[in-house]
């Protein structure tokens, strides 16, 4: 007997995001597979990893869905008896407040992903140096990330990148 699947998280709806029906279906099927619910259709880790959601008007925030699906993939791999994948270059989602006018969420997510790819030696995303990251200017948009919080987070990443660059220079 399986446990009931948890509800689909409440992703932000953005102007151009992932198709809400596709995401809800995939997440529901993944939860059914993880929980062992035999009354609902399942999705395997390989199938979930291969999904490409359509980008539509008024869809789910792509960054939030990406991070959530990455976590579901790890759970699915474990449920299937495999080892969880090695740590991804994608960091856990930073917890920035959304403001009426803040930094573009996609640009911030891209910069953070590139920084973590560089720190982890992951070749799945383009690398970024400390100086390049420090020099980035994000667009200010409606419903963007809090500029102060992003600035502090980026400063921390710049310090970590500089430390890593100094270690490799020795």
């Amino acid at each position: 007997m399986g446990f009931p699947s948890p509800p689909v998280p409440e992703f932000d709806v953005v102007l151009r995001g992932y198709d809400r029906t596709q995401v809800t279906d995939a997440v529901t099927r993944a939860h059914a597979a993880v929980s062992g619910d035999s009354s609902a259709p399942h999705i395997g880790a390989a199938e979930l990893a291969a999904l490409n959601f359509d980008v539509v008007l008024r869809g789910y925030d792509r960054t939030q869905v990406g991070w959530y699906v990455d976590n579901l993939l790890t759970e699915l791999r474990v449920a299937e008896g495999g080892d969880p994948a090695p740590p991804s270059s994608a960091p856990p989602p930073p917890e920035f407040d959304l403001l009426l006018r803040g930094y573009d969420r996609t640009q911030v997510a891209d910069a953070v992903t590139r920084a973590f790819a560089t720190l982890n030696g992951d070749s799945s995303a383009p690398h970024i140096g400390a100086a390049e990251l420090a020099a980035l200017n994000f667009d200010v948009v409606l419903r963007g990330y809090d500029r102060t919080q992003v600035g502090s987070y980026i400063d921390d990443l710049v310090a970590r990148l500089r430390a890593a660059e100094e270690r490799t220079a020795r």
Side-chain angles (χ1 to χ4, degrees):
M1 174 177 225
F3 297 100
S5 296
V8 174
E10 293 184 20
F11 299 115
D12 291 335
V13 175
V14 295
L15 182 61
R16 295 194 44 78
Y18 287 138
D19 183 281
R20 294 184 281 180
T21 304
Q22 292 174 351
V23 171
T24 301
D25 177 60
V27 168
T28 302
R29 290 172 52 207
H31 281 298
V34 168
S35 67
D37 182 359
S38 60
S39 66
H42 292 195
I43 188 170
E47 186 182 353
L48 182 61
L51 280 180
N52 289 318
F53 300 116
D54 294 333
V55 176
V56 297
L57 290 175
R58 304 222 8 96
Y60 285 141
D61 183 286
R62 292 179 277 184
T63 303
Q64 293 174 355
V65 170
W67 281 323
Y68 192 81
V69 167
D70 283 346
N71 289 332
L72 268 178
L73 278 171
T74 300
E75 289 181 42
L76 273 173
R77 287 182 181 115
V78 170
E80 291 173 352
D83 291 328
S88 162
S89 63
E95 301 205 9
F96 301 128
D97 293 333
L98 288 176
L99 301 177
L100 181 61
R101 296 193 44 78
Y103 286 141
D104 183 283
R105 293 183 281 176
T106 305
Q107 291 175 352
V108 172
D110 180 58
V112 170
T113 299
R114 290 178 62 198
F116 273 83
T118 303
L119 289 168
N120 295 333
D122 182 0
S123 61
S124 67
H127 288 203
I128 189 169
E132 184 182 357
L133 182 61
L136 283 180
N137 290 316
F138 302 111
D139 294 335
V140 176
V141 297
L142 291 176
R143 289 197 34 84
Y145 285 142
D146 182 295
R147 292 179 270 184
T148 304
Q149 292 173 349
V150 170
S152 296
Y153 193 79
I154 294 294
D155 288 346
D156 179 58
L157 284 176
V158 167
R160 292 174 64 185
L161 284 168
R162 282 194 179 121
E165 289 169 355
E166 289 174 7
R167 280 193 305 272
T168 57
R170 293 182 200 162

